[in-house]
């Protein structure tokens, strides 16, 4: 079996190629943007009308997490005649007279004392009763700021609108902050995103490799070390074999059952690699591979993958701010104070390590396939 015939590796390589193209194109876009920002300073650009280049309000998209409360104002409440007199700076006798004459709108009577309460402020006295709060409660108005997403109404495919699009782009880009700092931060975010995506592709490759190998060599399910003491009930066997009608159904069901077992046990990447190495008897250690980094050949080992895994987990679960012992354990991980910063060199080295180990694994799988094929040929020759 050739490497490109093994589907999980083919998918992995396609995903990595797409990721590399995205990274390259984005880097070029960042470089071009930086040059344009230097060439056209913000002070030389005329302000743009955001309403003209954004979509209608009905096209806004946001969640509750995008809503920021910036203030709460009291709208109205019920007060006594004395409180109303103080709030309006009016004579209490005049207030009582207006109250008796019904000039102060809806009134709330306190049953125990017979005291009459007035709605305040005065502009709410002509409102319907159901628009006013209950006695003893207040009505508030909340001020909120929403950070919503919307499409810019700029047609980048229209060559005739190039000047307008460039002007809007430059003004918006300048509004993000200092151009050098923004560009630096954007490149760090690109490296971080690609680093995580590369790891995800590698992890998926391992899981799918196990799935594919079980389908190619189903006997491993029954004869593998991890299943020597496994049992199955009659009713389950009856169901898995489609009521004893299909051996293929039984085989496929056992394959899926074993795959579910591997996933339910939550095996780490190292656990998956060790499972492959042990169950399928790889002759070569998958961690023992090599790569060329800036014209110098390097060897991979178990600890390389441990470090990359822990960096990935720190980025995803700790927002790149691991505990104080992290950088003592991994002094080569780039950082800014106590924050992990994935720079170009670290990302390049990490992807080379992952690609090298993936290649080593698929090479062992290819050799396994060749061995199995030769065993079948020998068996066939003996039979003849």
């Amino acid at each position: 079996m050739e490497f490109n015939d093994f589907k999980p590796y083919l998918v992995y390589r396609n995903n990595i190629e797409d990721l590399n193209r995205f990274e390259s194109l984005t880097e070029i876009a960042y470089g071009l943007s930086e040059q344009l920002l230097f060439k056209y300073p913000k002070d030389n650009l005329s302000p743009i009308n955001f309403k003209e280049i954004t979509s209608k309000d009905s096209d806004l998209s946001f969640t509750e997490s995008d809503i920021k409360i910036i203030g709460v104002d009291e709208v109205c409440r019920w007060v006594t005649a004395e409180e109303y007199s103080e709030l309006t700076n009016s004579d209490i006798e005049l207030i009582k007279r207006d109250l008796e004459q019904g000039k102060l709108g809806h009134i709330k009577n306190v049953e125990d004392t017979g005291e009459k309460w007035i709605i305040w402020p005065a502009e709410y006295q002509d409102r319907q009763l159901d628009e006013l709060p209950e006695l003893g409660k207040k009505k508030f108005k909340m001020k909120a700021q929403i950070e919503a997403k919307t499409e810019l109404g700029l047609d980048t495919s229209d060559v005739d609108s190039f000047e307008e699009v460039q002007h809007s782009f430059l003004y918006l880009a300048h509004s993000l902050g200092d151009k050098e700092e923004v560009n630096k931060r954007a490149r760090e975010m690109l490296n971080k995103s690609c680093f995580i995506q590369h790891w995800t592709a590698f992890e998926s490759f391992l899981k799918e490799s196990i799935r594919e190998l079980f389908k190619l060599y189903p006997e491993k399910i029954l004869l593998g070390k991890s299943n020597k003491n496994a049992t199955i009930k009659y009713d389950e066997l009856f169901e898995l074999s489609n009521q004893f009608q299909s051996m293929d159904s039984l085989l496929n069901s056992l394959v899926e059952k074993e795959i579910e077992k591997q996933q339910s046990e939550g095996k780490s990447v190292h656990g998956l690699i060790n499972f492959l190495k042990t169950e399928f008897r790889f002759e070569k250690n998958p961690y023992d591979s090599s790569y060329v980094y800036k014209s110098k050949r390097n060897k991979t080992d178990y600890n390389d993958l441990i470090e990359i895994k822990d960096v990935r987990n720190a980025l995803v679960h700790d927002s790149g701010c691991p505990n104080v012992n992290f950088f003592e354990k991994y002094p080569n991980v780039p950082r800014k104070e106590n924050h992990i910063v994935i720079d170009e060199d670290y990302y390049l080295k990490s992807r080379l390590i992952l690609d090298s180990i993936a290649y080593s694994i698929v090479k062992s799988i290819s050799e396994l396939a060749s061995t199995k094929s030769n065993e079948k040929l020998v068996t066939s020759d003996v039979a003849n």
Side-chain angles (χ1 to χ4, degrees), residues 83-112:
E83 287 178 304
Y84 193 84
S85 172
E86 293 178 3
L87 289 168
T88 57
N89 197 23
S90 303
D91 182 75
I92 184 62
E93 296 302 324
L94 292 176
I95 297 300
K96 290 180 178 180
R97 185 192 64 189
D98 289 345
L99 186 59
E100 293 298 328
Q101 295 177 358
K103 296 181 178 180
L104 300 179
H106 296 290
I107 301 299
K108 288 282 186 177
N109 294 304
V110 180
E111 295 181 1
D112 295 340

Side-chain angles (χ1 to χ4, degrees), residues 179-373:
K179 49 186 172 294
E180 293 182 359
E181 186 61 30
V182 168
N183 184 63
K184 179 182 176 182
R185 184 69 181 133
R187 288 178 181 272
E188 290 174 359
M189 288 299 298
L190 173 64
N191 293 332
K192 173 185 174 181
S193 299
C194 291
F195 177 91
I196 294 173
Q197 287 295 322
H198 208 120
W199 175 266
T200 301
F202 178 78
E203 190 173 30
S204 177
F205 158 70
L206 292 176
K207 292 179 179 179
E208 291 305 313
S209 292
I210 292 175
R211 181 187 295 271
E212 192 70 15
L213 286 173
F214 273 142
K215 290 182 178 180
L216 292 172
Y217 310 111
E219 67 274 11
K220 288 293 181 182
I221 299 174
L222 301 177
L223 304 179
K225 294 181 179 180
S226 62
N227 288 322
K228 281 188 175 180
N229 299 319
T231 59
I232 187 170
K233 296 180 180 179
Y234 287 150
D235 58 344
E236 191 176 5
L237 180 63
F238 184 73
E239 181 181 348
L240 295 178
S241 62
N242 190 23
Q243 302 179 358
F244 296 133
Q245 298 297 313
S246 172
M247 286 300 295
D248 287 338
S249 176
L250 175 60
L251 178 60
N252 291 333
S253 297
L254 288 174
V255 168
E256 292 302 320
K257 188 177 179 67
E258 183 63 23
I259 291 167
E260 289 177 7
K261 173 187 171 184
Q262 298 300 320
Q263 293 179 334
S264 66
E265 291 176 355
K267 280 186 166 63
S268 66
V269 161
H270 293 81
L272 294 174
I273 292 176
N274 292 335
F275 178 83
L276 282 169
K277 181 175 64 173
T278 302
E279 292 295 326
F280 295 94
R281 298 180 182 178
F282 287 175
E283 293 183 3
K284 182 183 177 183
N285 185 347
Y287 299 108
D288 184 15
S289 186
S290 65
Y291 61 95
V292 177
Y293 173 68
K294 295 187 175 181
S295 301
K296 183 179 179 181
R297 184 165 294 277
N298 294 265
K299 299 285 289 185
T300 61
D301 61 34
Y302 177 86
N303 292 327
D304 287 335
L305 200 59
I306 284 285
E307 177 178 304
I308 295 173
K309 181 201 72 172
D310 287 348
V311 169
R312 177 267 177 194
N313 288 343
L315 291 172
V316 173
H317 302 300
D318 300 317
S319 192
C321 296
N323 59 52
V324 292
N325 298 324
F326 182 89
F327 293 107
E328 293 179 6
K329 184 178 180 181
Y330 303 120
N332 293 325
V333 175
R335 60 171 170 161
K336 183 178 181 181
E337 297 178 349
N338 291 321
H339 189 91
I340 296 173
V341 177
I342 304 298
D343 57 25
E344 285 79 5
D345 289 339
Y346 191 81
Y347 173 52
L348 173 58
K349 191 172 183 179
S350 297
R351 59 192 256 191
L352 291 171
I353 291 170
L354 293 178
D355 288 351
S356 297
I357 294 176
Y359 181 82
S360 177
I361 290 172
V362 78
K363 188 176 180 180
S364 293
I365 292 173
S366 180
E367 291 171 353
L368 171 68
S370 298
T371 301
K372 291 291 183 181
S373 178

